[in-house]
Amino acid sequence: MPRTRPVQPAPTGPVRLGPDAHAALRPTAVAIDAGFWHARRETNARVSVPQGPGLLESAGNLHNLRLAAGTAEGEFQGAYPFVDTDVYKWLEAAAWQLGHRGDDSLAADVDRIIALVAAAQQPDGYLNTWFQLVKGGERYQDLRWGHELYCAGHLIQAAVAHHRATGRTELLDVARRFADHVDSVFGLPGSGRPIDGIDGHPEVETALVELYRETGERRYLDLAGYFVDRHGHGLLGGEAYCQDRVPVREATNVEGHAVRQLYLLAAAADLATETGDTELRAAGERLWHAMTTTKTHLTGGLGAHHDQEDFGDPYELPNERAYCETCAAIASVQWSWRLALLTGEARYSDLVERTLYNGFLAGVSLDGERWLYVNPLQVRDGHTDPGGDQSARRTRWFRCACCPPNVMRLLGSLEHYLASGDDDGLQIHQYVTGRYACGPIVVRAETDYPWHGTIALTVEETPADRPWTLSLRIPQWCREFRVRCGEETYDSPVDDGWLRLERTWAPGDRIVLELSLEPRLTGADPRVDAVRGCVAIERGPLVYCLEQVDHPGGGLDDIVLDTTRPLAVKHRPDLLGGVTTVVAAGRRRGIPDRGWWPYASADTTAAPEPDGETVEFTAVPYYAWANREDGSMRVWLPTS
Amino acid sequence: MPRTRPVQPAPTGPVRLGPDAHAALRPTAVAIDAGFWHARRETNARVSVPQGPGLLESAGNLHNLRLAAGTAEGEFQGAYPFVDTDVYKWLEAAAWQLGHRGDDSLAADVDRIIALVAAAQQPDGYLNTWFQLVKGGERYQDLRWGHELYCAGHLIQAAVAHHRATGRTELLDVARRFADHVDSVFGLPGSGRPIDGIDGHPEVETALVELYRETGERRYLDLAGYFVDRHGHGLLGGEAYCQDRVPVREATNVEGHAVRQLYLLAAAADLATETGDTELRAAGERLWHAMTTTKTHLTGGLGAHHDQEDFGDPYELPNERAYCETCAAIASVQWSWRLALLTGEARYSDLVERTLYNGFLAGVSLDGERWLYVNPLQVRDGHTDPGGDQSARRTRWFRCACCPPNVMRLLGSLEHYLASGDDDGLQIHQYVTGRYACGPIVVRAETDYPWHGTIALTVEETPADRPWTLSLRIPQWCREFRVRCGEETYDSPVDDGWLRLERTWAPGDRIVLELSLEPRLTGADPRVDAVRGCVAIERGPLVYCLEQVDHPGGGLDDIVLDTTRPLAVKHRPDLLGGVTTVVAAGRRRGIPDRGWWPYASADTTAAPEPDGETVEFTAVPYYAWANREDGSMRVWLPTS
């Protein structure tokens, strides 16, 4: 078919599948140009990303690179062996952004910082300022905690992003030198490589698959496979924390440090995609199902424990101590997206949507300047905040600053997680305002989602001579929807999450999808003890919460929702950058004085409570919490 | 009154009040000679305590003392600067035990180990093997984490115990030298002492009060007061963890590291007792009330977070992640007992009882050989145990072995926490079989408590010529009781927890107290979100739990208790050393398959569940859990 202009941008985002990939779907970018995510990306591009270099300077990350290059003097700054990754993740964010948005000032910052990275690299390709400066160059002696390959992984991802987005090779050359060095050092006994080992923090695995995709060099893929499969064999002492208790292929549930687990599983999905390894694919599907059914918070947040940043037991999903590290939400999106492409199944993008709108987005303030590392589902009245990285109050930057640049890189590349194509047509996984393109197909979408449920689609370009299928994901949360093509209401059954509209399309064809956004009350599996007797308010993809600031005159620990009263929806353009609130009815309990002991006969506790005060509850989207004055917050609301 | 034999043993236990103490009550020892606690103390005396020296040898604690004395060669062993305290706490346990039980072998071990301690002490009195051996003798440079004064405190407590129980001075001399050294170093600016500082782990404070009581030297009391009041002034950076966020006198709730908080508050109670400081007394009463109403688990366990071993927010009382360190239960008993004596109020001994029978006693296995550091209220089906000190499986010894010798010292001195006297007579705080003595008064008690509720008391010795009051604590949990004196049923009203029987007693007078031990279902304040919709089974002072091993064929995560069916009591002499079980009726849920997402419309979750399997639940006392095969466990039982 002749094309008047290139309609499909080069696959310039993360997860550019190799030519022989065994994936059901191939990602395609969306040109987002208005609406909810456009606004978030504008804040990312105008506030968060530009502030990066200054923060990396004041935190000492760039200083460390100069020290390693011998162009500055002083002490190493920072408390962790992985501080270089803050730089790499920022570079990756900036690179993705340069791929879709001209910005000379940003380009200059990127060039300057890439030069610092290149100068800090050692002649044989090794690069880690902590080990070069603090540990006297002693390499690979502490694989459990050293994070050297983790750092290599983020360097590689940044380099791939920079090359993919800009065509430039400066950083890619640095990354390849490091990757080649790693490849010369690590391998199975008998391989001629001196070390049979893995990194305590997976990350290099998925990065090496991307490097294979970018360079075509198979040995990077093989090295990734080696690392993935060496987890779980006790090379690091067999700890679940380090993903060393059980091999991925044998695991039955996610465990250990959440981000470590999820990065490793993203790599396993990458490998299954590129090699057709059905056992790894099955392991990924099995573990994803186990994770979602037993270890995922309503927000898509992952990780139940503060002390090891790890998954808890099945159905152990606490509220005030939900860990839900922002990085884990990002890693979950990365893994789920890979499974969505690999399998073609909509459920993976259901979780991506839930995570993006809730557990992920809560990690950055509305103004793009403050962050949450942990994302609890409850803050109690009288909360004593510990401060520091695990604070429930937004923080300008962290001692362990992994999350902020991770948010930046996901927002900077978000257009690559929204749509895919295959031989049959285009699949729309997430609804944004912009252009969805796939080969000769271009579809324009207009929507106020998630505030309104109408998505208006217009076919702008299409092959004239053959039918193709426009697949629309009907979200898992959606109980009612309607789709019209022109005058005709289309009631194709939903095929495992996909509404598939197959026809010979013509430019100008209009499809209107209407998803009902009736607010709803959601309960949990009864084994989730933490929320027994509670419901959460949801609307569309958004999880809602109550914040103290909207409920003066009392706290939130003693409230009761009246589930018999209707929920009212009220759009508030003045509030929190413009949100739709959900208004509910309830009361504060009258709690009898029990003296010094808060436990009493169940007969007593089951007795009618004294009358409490009636309250109108105003629920706001969870992602927007903690943007006003400090106070209590809760997602799950007691009903009796 | 002429006495034919000494009826009141010398006050040879902890908390020997000074002559001018402002306490309502004075402790008096009980000669326990049979029954529940006698059996636990026998196991302690025959198994736990005798194994101490071997364990301290194999863990390296004694080796470190020899290294410090220059009588051995090698490396320091152990990971913490406070490993010496394992030795001191064991010495304290052994000393208390020697006070009421002849044991030549134990006495020889004690002498030998005291000699090691004495030899390790430096000429100026300083003693800490970690700093002497690992830190090159650099003292008091890391007060936040160094634990030097914490170690001094446990040394002092051991020395006081040894002196009080045996009359020997070898260890007391060592402790006084260290205390004098500390007194020469620490003090307010302008005091002539070089350091104005506190230890990150309170303990020396209460120890110094005890040293004052033992020696009569007022400067030890003053030094204790200095340390207590310097907390909360930012000398350690202001962290709640170290009890440095707010002064004790101004605090409104317990916070930070639980054991640190409780040892500090025990010292505050000691000071209020010895000095009549009403502000400190009021602070203690206020903080105790805040702790019990908002931060105490049903078992008396304290501490809600694993990562800082600290208290959570008010009403944040998780089950599977309850921390409830065994040492915190012990510290709570120590603090509450001091408040009981100071105020004369029964509620403090109510908490002591609850803690002893549940949160404390669970810390040691029935065979006296294995320990729990953390005491969760739930272990889930499919629990992945982390191993190590925070394991939910009993462990032979810990890397941080603070709890086992702490259990030993409390069991070894338990007879001193049970009764008191004042000018009006004798107060029985806890019911055991044995002799309660106070001045000229001796009362013999026989009971099978806590299995049976009958306590038979016989007046053995009494002043013939004047009335006195026998005060019996009616436990807070008790809903019905009866007391008979001879033929007469006595129905004196309970006075704030005390049943006071005043009369002119004669030898041979019998009093029979019958506490109803009907099993009961207990609920919680509705703000304790973690147990919403649940009840716990209790009987007498005992909290009960379900263990997997008694419920084959399924797990415990999906159970529902039927609260309409009666609870049955069954004594099982064969089970767990002989326990009374409570049998209840219920079912396992039929949980519908919700696919990959465990959250659904509240309408759906409120709908009737599929029929589940009917189950007879067998509840065992919580203290006896984890003595059989590994498996799930729960205290709080869902009711719908």
Side-chain angles (χ1 to χ4, degrees), chain A residues 292 296 307 313 316 320-321 354 380 383-384 521 523 525 527 529 591 594 596-600 602 634, chain B residues 292 296 307 313 316 320-321 354 380 383-384 521 523 525 527 529 591 594 596-600 602 634:
Chain A
T292 55
T296 306
D307 59 337
D313 287 328
E316 184 191 342
E320 66 271 62
R321 294 292 277 183
R354 179 171 290 275
R380 288 184 173 275
H383 171 66
T384 302
L521 297 179
D525 184 295
R527 289 166 289 195
D529 294 280
I591 298 178
R594 291 185 179 157
W596 61 272
W597 191 238
Y599 306 98
R634 65 187 307 156
Chain B
T292 54
T296 306
D307 59 337
D313 287 329
E316 183 191 343
E320 67 271 62
R321 295 293 276 183
R354 178 171 290 276
R380 288 182 173 275
H383 171 65
T384 303
L521 297 179
D525 185 295
R527 289 166 289 196
D529 294 280
I591 298 177
R594 290 183 179 160
W596 61 272
W597 192 238
Y599 306 98
R634 64 187 308 155

Side-chain angles (χ1 to χ4, degrees), chain B residues 339-357:
Chain B
L339 289 175
L341 297 174
L342 177 59
T343 65
E345 292 171 13
R347 69 174 70 102
Y348 300 108
S349 290
D350 282 327
L351 185 66
V352 167
E353 176 179 62
R354 178 171 290 276
T355 306
L356 285 175
Y357 278 102

Side-chain angles (χ1 to χ4, degrees), chain A residues 563-622:
Chain A
T563 57
T564 66
R565 300 274 296 280
L567 301 172
V569 168
K570 188 168 177 189
H571 195 70
R572 294 274 301 275
D574 57 311
L575 189 68
L576 294 165
V579 295
T580 297
T581 61
V582 178
V583 179
R587 61 183 172 89
R588 291 212 172 84
R589 295 174 190 278
I591 298 178
D593 183 3
R594 291 185 179 157
W596 61 272
W597 191 238
Y599 306 98
S601 163
D603 305 343
T604 317
T605 54
E609 290 170 349
D611 284 346
E613 175 200 1
T614 300
V615 185
E616 182 180 271
F617 297 129
T618 297
V620 297
Y622 174 76

Side-chain angles (χ1 to χ4, degrees), chain B residues 50-337:
Chain B
Q51 290 184 356
L55 290 159
L56 294 170
E57 195 66 81
S58 59
N61 307 69
L62 301 183
H63 165 79
N64 294 335
L65 290 167
R66 290 190 203 98
L67 283 185
T71 58
E73 294 190 347
E75 298 284 306
F76 181 90
Q77 289 182 32
Y80 298 105
F82 50 82
V83 292
D84 295 348
T85 57
D86 303 343
V87 179
Y88 302 149
K89 276 189 276 191
W90 180 85
L91 280 173
E92 184 184 341
W96 294 133
Q97 196 161 297
L98 290 175
H100 59 78
R101 182 188 179 95
D103 186 333
D104 290 345
S105 164
L106 182 63
D109 277 339
V110 166
D111 287 351
R112 178 171 63 86
I113 293 174
I114 287 176
L116 290 179
V117 171
Q121 186 170 39
Q122 298 199 316
D124 64 358
Y126 182 88
L127 176 48
N128 180 296
T129 62
W130 167 270
F131 282 89
Q132 289 168 229
L133 297 166
V134 179
K135 290 291 181 180
E138 190 181 77
R139 303 171 178 177
Y140 307 130
Q141 300 298 301
D142 179 14
L143 290 171
R144 184 187 169 283
W145 184 246
H147 287 81
E148 289 155 290
L149 303 183
Y150 170 79
C151 291
H154 277 300
L155 170 61
I156 291 166
Q157 289 184 334
V160 167
H162 188 243
H163 184 249
R164 213 168 266 173
T166 69
R168 301 262 299 273
T169 61
E170 295 93 327
L171 195 59
L172 188 64
D173 292 341
V174 173
R176 290 186 70 158
R177 279 197 294 273
F178 199 172
D180 292 345
H181 172 73
V182 170
D183 191 34
S184 74
V185 171
F186 288 88
L188 286 171
S191 66
R193 274 85 162 177
I195 302 179
D196 181 24
I198 52 174
D199 195 279
H201 198 316
E203 158 66 21
V204 74
E205 297 83 357
T206 186
L208 284 166
V209 177
E210 218 56 8
L211 189 60
Y212 153 74
R213 289 167 174 161
E214 198 63 11
T215 63
E217 289 215 32
R218 173 84 195 187
R219 64 200 173 93
Y220 298 136
L221 184 66
D222 294 340
L223 186 58
Y226 158 77
F227 282 134
V228 166
D229 276 326
R230 291 303 279 156
H231 279 273
H233 295 281
L235 292 178
L236 297 177
E239 274 179 283
Y241 176 78
C242 299
Q243 305 302 317
D244 195 33
R245 196 185 67 84
V246 62
V248 171
R249 292 171 192 275
E250 297 168 22
T252 56
N253 206 334
V254 292
E255 66 174 28
H257 186 272
V259 179
R260 284 166 165 80
Q261 172 73 92
L262 296 164
Y263 282 167
L264 181 62
L265 291 172
D270 283 329
L271 283 161
T273 301
E274 295 300 336
T275 67
D277 185 325
T278 54
E279 189 180 55
L280 267 189
R281 171 177 165 154
E285 293 176 303
R286 177 175 73 240
L287 291 168
W288 192 90
H289 186 83
M291 178 181 83
T292 54
T293 48
T294 69
K295 298 193 180 184
T296 306
H297 285 84
L298 184 66
T299 56
L302 296 162
H305 297 163
H306 279 53
D307 59 337
Q308 296 248 313
E309 304 189 315
D310 61 342
F311 288 104
D313 287 329
Y315 304 106
E316 183 191 343
L317 293 162
N319 291 305
E320 67 271 62
R321 295 293 276 183
Y323 198 68
C324 297
E325 184 181 336
T326 303
C327 285
I330 294 164
S332 167
V333 168
Q334 294 176 339
W335 180 34
S336 294
W337 179 237

